[in-house]
Amino acid sequence: MRDVMDTIEHRNLEGYVGFANLPNQVYRKSVKRGFEFTLMVVGESGLGKSTLINSLFLTDLYSKDYPGPSQRIKKTVQVEQSKVLIKEGGVQLTLTIVDTPGFGDAVDNSNCWQPVINYIDSKCEDFLNAESRVNRRSMPDNRVHCCLYFIAPSGHGLKPLDIEFMKRLHDKVNVIPLIAKADTLTPEECQLFKKQIMKEIQEHKIKIYEFPDTEDEEDNKLIRKIKEKMPLAVVGSNVVVEVNGKKVRGRQYPWGVAEVENGEHCDFTVLRNMLIRTHMQDLKDVTNNVHYENYRSKKLAAVTCNGVDTSKTKGQLTKSPLAQMEEERREHVMKMKKMEAEMEQVFEMKVKEKKQKLKDSEAELERRHEQMKRNLEAQYKELEEKRRVFEEEKANWEAQQRILEQQKLDASKTMEKNKKKGKIF
Amino acid sequence: MSESAKLHPNPQGKGEKTHGSDFSYVGIDAILEQMRRKAMKQGFELNIMVVGQSGLGKSTLMNTLFKSKVSRKSVLPNPEERIPKTIEIKSISHDIEEKGVRMKLTVIDTPGFGDQINNENCWQPIMKFINDQYEVYLQEEININRKKRIPDSRVHCCIYFIPPTGHCLRPLDVEFMRRLSKVVNIVPVIAKADTLTLEERDYFKQTIREELRANGIDVYPQKEFDEDAEDRMINDKIREMIPFAVVGSDQEYQVNGKKILGRKTKWGTIEVENIAHCEFAYLRDLLIRTHMQNIKDITGSIHYETYRVRRLNESNALFSSQPSDHPAVQPKTNGQPEQQPSTLQANGVAAQHEALSHEM
């Protein structure tokens, strides 16, 4: 068997063929389809996350009418997502911002990263399931492509919470650490702080997002410059102020205006260019090729190892579609059987209930019947008693009558006797 | 006759008004001068505790307040930058002098507060420390042979640093202040205030004040300890402004030909002592120039007395509660008048406190 790859030669074309137009075709298709991007922002409340998002995308995702989740301090960590569709130059972008209000705000912050990890894993799982389905026509990509982690500008170094969080998330998502509210640091303090943070990141072996080297030397120079500035110190603002007759976005202080888009004041433009203009696609690719693959291999390894999977579906991609269909049909049948069994159960339960109810009412009726019988008996007894009394009275009265009669008779007899006697005389 | 009678009292009356060493002048007001001399000889003690998460500028603010390197970081040979695993309490004392007035300043730092992932009960070591200081003082006080002047290591004032989130107080802040406002004077400040614009600052302060009110937290100056209407007026003005939004710096820059303490950024220089920029000057005036004595008094006569009453009741000590309410006054009037300014004031406030303690 010859290895075909070894025999590929470079050939020069003798005319214009036209496949140089391929990128344009890809471009047109992508523009029609639109792009998706999911950005997660994590950090303690009050670090300017909502403001930065508004500044990055020049829209008020969080405005006065719909205040961001960070306006209220939550008791537990929530994960909230907001979707927005923005259009620019005919290209549409479905942007999903995932916010984590309550992160790091409580007194006890142990495991405050757990909801974040759960969210990321659930999105990966959704994608895995969608990929393993038979019908894959619409496969929305909701995986988190980038996580911006906000570091408070203490000027000293990373906090234990920062280190813990980044260590747990660096192999699940692209982590880009940012220094928030950077207008609180003087340039010297900022330099020291950045150095200290990078030192600690290397000490703890945290893998933050790395910019890939390109073939172009010019681009490489830019990328090296960006790498030196990591972590980026940002300031966010969507308020326009006037400086020297120019309208800029910035923050107005009594001692001056900190301009958001001024490269000397902060690294906001670097972040925006990197995130949106140059490396958005790369972030998505790394998410797909590295983080998602990590997740997938871990998940599938767990399944094939144990044979028992606690997840909802078994993603066995090595089976043929027919077997897959058979599997699905069997599953469906099982589901139906289960539903049937459940319904039967419910039916039985209802029957039992009804029976019980009838029994109860029967017992009730019997009781009442008993009671009535007793009532009647009691009445009967009473009446008997009365009758007895009455009979007695009657007997008494008759006896008396008889006595009276007897007396009368006696009296009449004696009268006759007397009469006879009287008559003789 | 009447003329001469009139003439007589007149020169006498003039003399009364003009000459000091006159008929009706007793000289009671000279006691102020005596007090001043005594105080200058003895010197003052002040113990300030700073509490807050790491990186909020506590050490820098202390250095700025006393215009010298008094913080823990400036004193220790190799200041550790790492966050300690448990809260430590580090106490550093300095003797500073200004215009002949000596002061023993003790700065108590609490590195590690609020820095861990789980900050449950992180206020315990601090409360224990404060109560220990009261205990030491109490033991010294009830000693039979006690020192002429009891060294005062009680924490007079606790400055609590609130991170400038701009939204509201965090649960940790509320918990800490609620518990500690009962044992020590708390002065909350918004740290690193150069991160807030003026509108954000006002909104944040309002939110904080509401939350303090809602949670029943009484920070210094406490409303119930205002002595009279004048005090109340001054303190009300202060209460409108707390918490102070401060910026600290120990670096000097030239601005308009003047040398000032500040922070230099690419878009401007923040002047620490400029009240248009931040409220550091108000804090300094409160702590040092106007209310230092009042802070010490409230610590001595109210917080300490509360602790004392509790302890003596607990241990069923020799003194019954009635006569022992004023031992600080009785023996001392027999002996030498030590710490006279605070004792005299304690008299006035102790009566108030007796009422408080009986209520309790």
Side-chain angles (χ1 to χ4, degrees):
Chain A
M1 287 215 286
R2 276 190 313 183
D3 203 348
V4 185
M5 294 300 283
D6 281 346
T7 59
I8 288 186
E9 304 168 5
H10 289 278
R11 285 193 189 255
N12 288 325
L13 300 173
E14 284 158 40
Y16 177 68
V17 179
F19 59 81
N21 208 25
L22 270 171
N24 287 348
Q25 297 174 22
V26 174
Y27 170 80
R28 257 180 306 193
K29 238 215 172 123
S30 317
V31 168
K32 241 201 290 176
R33 210 178 4 183
F35 296 90
E36 294 169 312
F37 191 67
T38 305
L39 179 66
M40 177 182 261
V41 280
V42 184
E44 284 177 8
S45 109
L47 284 181
K49 304 187 290 286
S50 315
T51 317
L52 189 74
I53 299 290
N54 286 348
S55 320
L56 268 177
F57 296 102
L58 286 179
T59 65
D60 273 336
L61 238 66
Y62 299 126
S63 62
K64 286 243 183 312
D65 311 320
Y66 174 55
S70 56
Q71 286 287 357
R72 343 140 216 151
I73 289 201
K74 301 275 177 100
K75 289 277 157 126
T76 57
V77 183
Q78 319 271 332
V79 180
E80 296 181 3
Q81 72 174 32
S82 26
K83 265 193 169 48
V84 83
L85 179 66
I86 42 185
K87 273 196 187 170
E88 190 185 52
V91 179
Q92 35 179 49
L93 173 69
T94 309
L95 177 68
T96 312
I97 305 285
V98 182
D99 205 335
T100 53
F103 179 86
D105 284 332
V107 179
D108 182 0
N109 290 314
S110 323
N111 294 328
C112 64
W113 46 79
Q114 202 55 46
V116 178
I117 293 183
N118 290 346
Y119 179 85
I120 296 178
D121 279 346
S122 79
K123 293 294 168 209
C124 276
E125 189 174 317
D126 287 345
F127 193 76
L128 181 61
N129 292 343
E131 224 184 22
S132 335
R133 273 208 307 256
V134 176
N135 182 1
R136 301 200 286 199
R137 191 150 303 137
S138 71
M139 217 163 54
D141 186 2
N142 283 325
R143 296 170 294 189
V144 179
H145 299 120
C146 175
C147 174
L148 297 176
Y149 186 72
F150 286 70
I151 302 172
S154 64
H156 292 323
L158 288 176
K159 288 204 281 212
L161 179 63
D162 302 336
I163 296 174
E164 216 23 68
F165 179 87
M166 287 203 275
K167 269 210 306 214
R168 282 167 193 271
L169 259 82
H170 65 161
D171 53 4
K172 292 188 186 281
V173 73
N174 297 318
V175 175
I176 299 183
L178 300 172
I179 299 178
K181 294 200 167 176
D183 54 352
T184 207
L185 300 166
T186 63
E188 303 86 30
E189 290 170 352
C190 198
Q191 278 299 101
L192 273 169
F193 192 36
K194 284 188 183 184
K195 257 204 227 125
Q196 179 69 22
I197 292 181
M198 289 315 280
K199 195 167 78 133
E200 290 192 19
I201 285 181
Q202 271 160 16
E203 246 176 51
H204 293 270
K205 301 211 183 30
I206 297 172
K207 295 188 287 250
I208 57 176
Y209 174 69
E210 280 192 18
F211 299 89
D213 287 325
T214 60
E215 286 157 354
D216 190 2
E217 191 46 48
E218 273 295 322
D219 280 347
N220 269 350
K221 262 201 265 187
L222 281 167
I223 288 178
R224 256 197 296 272
K225 263 209 208 131
I226 297 178
K227 282 201 186 171
E228 275 170 38
K229 289 196 183 178
M230 291 287 279
L232 300 171
V234 292
V235 175
S237 168
N238 232 1
V239 173
V240 178
V241 286
E242 206 162 304
V243 173
N244 298 339
K246 248 189 337 156
K247 279 199 189 283
V248 286
R249 285 187 303 146
R251 290 172 63 73
Q252 172 99 42
Y253 294 111
W255 48 88
V257 174
E259 295 170 43
V260 164
E261 283 166 342
N262 186 334
E264 300 217 336
H265 290 189
C266 71
D267 299 329
F268 173 80
T269 34
V270 177
L271 175 70
R272 184 192 52 199
N273 293 346
M274 183 270 287
L275 196 60
I276 302 175
R277 295 180 191 175
T278 52
H279 285 80
M280 192 184 260
Q281 190 54 41
D282 187 61
L283 283 166
K284 289 173 76 167
D285 287 340
V286 172
T287 310
N288 190 32
N289 300 340
V290 177
H291 299 297
Y292 173 66
E293 290 300 314
N294 262 345
Y295 172 83
R296 188 172 163 278
S297 48
K298 265 195 234 158
K299 203 83 197 312
L300 299 183
V303 173
T304 54
C305 260
N306 307 340
V308 176
D309 189 19
T310 50
S311 72
K312 285 175 274 182
T313 62
K314 305 185 204 292
Q316 276 139 8
L317 304 164
T318 50
K319 279 205 181 156
S320 67
L322 279 170
Q324 181 84 354
M325 274 176 75
E326 190 55 42
E327 179 79 36
E328 274 181 9
R329 193 184 67 84
R330 244 182 288 145
E331 236 184 75
H332 188 76
V333 167
M334 268 182 61
K335 229 192 332 186
M336 295 311 258
K337 278 219 185 97
K338 207 164 88 159
M339 274 173 73
E340 227 186 283
E342 261 176 34
M343 283 210 266
E344 276 220 38
Q345 234 183 13
V346 169
F347 178 70
E348 267 202 49
M349 210 172 65
K350 285 224 168 104
V351 166
K352 241 204 308 199
E353 253 182 55
K354 197 78 189 204
K355 266 201 190 147
Q356 187 69 17
K357 251 200 223 158
L358 287 170
K359 263 206 203 130
D360 282 341
S361 61
E362 208 188 303
E364 177 79 23
L365 282 170
E366 260 205 58
R367 204 176 48 82
R368 264 199 239 150
H369 176 79
E370 281 292 309
Q371 201 166 38
M372 276 177 66
K373 221 165 83 173
R374 262 183 269 136
N375 271 356
L376 284 169
E377 273 187 17
Q379 276 187 7
Y380 183 71
K381 276 210 186 98
E382 232 180 272
L383 281 170
E384 280 279 337
E385 182 74 30
K386 278 200 181 141
R387 173 193 267 214
R388 202 175 47 77
V389 166
F390 172 70
E391 294 276 330
E392 250 184 56
E393 247 183 77
K394 193 166 141 194
N396 275 351
W397 189 78
E398 280 190 357
Q400 272 190 3
Q401 281 293 99
R402 256 184 273 130
I403 292 176
L404 268 166
E405 275 213 32
Q406 193 70 16
Q407 279 185 351
K408 236 196 208 163
L409 230 79
D410 281 340
S412 68
K413 261 200 191 145
T414 47
M415 254 187 68
E416 273 206 35
K417 245 190 188 167
N418 283 348
K419 244 185 189 173
K420 265 190 186 166
K421 271 195 188 154
K423 261 192 176 169
I424 296 178
F425 293 144
Chain B
M1 186 66 177
S2 54
E3 267 194 4
S4 61
K6 252 195 252 171
L7 282 171
H8 245 292
N10 263 342
Q12 200 71 321
K14 270 200 209 135
E16 263 177 76
K17 284 183 200 145
T18 48
H19 295 294
S21 54
D22 228 288
F23 189 69
S24 57
Y25 175 67
V26 178
I28 301 177
D29 58 352
I31 197 156
L32 289 175
E33 184 59 36
Q34 296 174 33
M35 273 167 59
R36 209 179 74 84
R37 251 182 284 136
K38 193 89 203 185
M40 298 231 341
K41 248 201 266 174
Q42 281 177 351
F44 296 92
E45 282 175 320
L46 184 65
N47 305 324
I48 299 187
M49 174 183 264
V50 279
V51 183
Q53 277 186 332
S54 93
L56 285 181
K58 305 188 290 286
S59 309
T60 315
L61 189 73
M62 282 293 110
N63 287 351
T64 320
L65 261 179
F66 294 101
K67 293 236 171 68
S68 51
K69 306 242 180 253
V70 295
S71 73
R72 151 184 73 103
K73 297 219 176 114
S74 324
V75 165
L76 292 181
N78 245 343
E80 303 142 2
E81 285 297 347
R82 62 157 185 86
I83 295 174
K85 289 280 159 134
T86 54
I87 303 171
E88 303 166 349
I89 308 235
K90 295 213 163 100
S91 178
I92 300 176
S93 297
H94 304 266
D95 273 317
I96 50 186
E97 178 171 332
E98 187 184 55
K99 290 205 184 123
V101 178
R102 275 179 305 118
M103 181 156 95
K104 177 164 180 278
L105 169 72
T106 307
V107 176
I108 303 156
D109 204 342
T110 53
F113 176 84
D115 286 328
Q116 313 306 321
I117 295 181
N118 182 355
N119 291 313
E120 205 72 49
N121 292 329
C122 62
W123 48 80
Q124 291 276 26
I126 297 176
M127 280 198 70
K128 184 167 174 312
F129 178 80
I130 294 176
N131 284 334
D132 283 347
Q133 304 311 308
Y134 287 152
E135 184 64 30
V136 162
Y137 195 86
L138 181 66
Q139 289 305 323
E140 193 55 48
E141 212 182 35
I142 60 181
N143 223 349
I144 299 178
N145 290 327
R146 53 187 188 191
K147 302 195 188 118
K148 254 192 241 181
R149 195 166 164 233
I150 307 176
D152 190 3
S153 66
R154 300 172 292 191
V155 178
H156 296 127
C157 169
C158 173
I159 305 184
Y160 186 74
F161 286 71
I162 300 172
T165 58
H167 293 319
C168 54
L169 283 178
R170 296 169 308 150
L172 177 64
D173 302 334
V174 173
E175 271 308 307
F176 179 86
M177 284 201 273
R178 193 150 52 99
R179 285 156 200 274
L180 259 79
S181 58
K182 304 203 176 87
V183 294
V184 73
N185 296 320
I186 291 200
V187 177
V189 294
I190 300 177
K192 295 202 167 174
D194 56 346
T195 205
L196 300 167
T197 62
L198 291 178
E199 302 91 36
E200 290 169 354
R201 183 200 294 184
D202 287 332
Y203 173 75
F204 191 35
K205 280 210 222 187
Q206 221 179 335
T207 317
I208 292 182
R209 276 199 291 267
E210 271 169 30
E211 284 206 31
L212 289 178
R213 234 197 314 268
N215 283 295
I217 301 174
D218 230 350
V219 296
Y220 184 82
Q222 293 98 334
K223 254 210 168 106
E224 43 182 349
F225 305 144
D226 283 338
E227 286 176 37
D228 50 29
E230 196 191 314
D231 253 2
R232 205 169 305 132
M233 222 173 55
I234 301 176
N235 286 347
D236 272 342
K237 276 210 212 100
I238 297 174
R239 279 188 279 262
E240 293 282 304
M241 283 200 291
I242 51 168
F244 294 116
V246 294
V247 174
S249 167
D250 43 11
Q251 285 178 320
E252 290 185 344
Y253 294 101
Q254 288 268 11
V255 169
N256 297 339
K258 275 191 304 166
K259 263 192 146 202
I260 51 110
L261 287 174
R263 287 169 65 73
K264 189 153 187 218
T265 59
K266 288 257 152 77
W267 50 90
T269 306
I270 304 156
E271 298 169 39
V272 166
E273 303 216 14
N274 184 341
I275 50 175
H277 288 189
C278 76
E279 296 177 341
F280 168 79
Y282 292 129
L283 177 71
R284 183 207 40 217
D285 289 346
L286 179 80
L287 277 185
I288 301 175
R289 293 184 190 177
T290 56
H291 284 70
M292 189 198 285
Q293 193 52 44
N294 185 243
I295 288 178
K296 290 172 68 170
D297 285 342
I298 294 191
T299 309
S301 56
I302 294 179
H303 293 297
Y304 171 68
E305 291 294 319
T306 312
Y307 176 81
R308 191 169 162 282
V309 163
R310 196 161 40 95
R311 273 289 275 133
L312 294 184
N313 280 336
E314 266 172 21
S315 56
N316 288 328
L318 306 145
F319 308 82
S320 64
S321 53
Q322 268 298 53
S324 66
D325 264 348
H326 299 280
V329 182
Q330 280 163 351
K332 276 195 176 153
T333 45
N334 295 337
Q336 287 170 21
E338 292 145 56
Q339 283 190 333
Q340 205 142 356
S342 52
T343 320
L344 279 175
Q345 289 222 10
N347 258 328
V349 194
Q352 204 179 28
H353 168 65
E354 228 194 283
L356 279 171
S357 64
H358 284 310
E359 274 168 20
M360 287 189 293

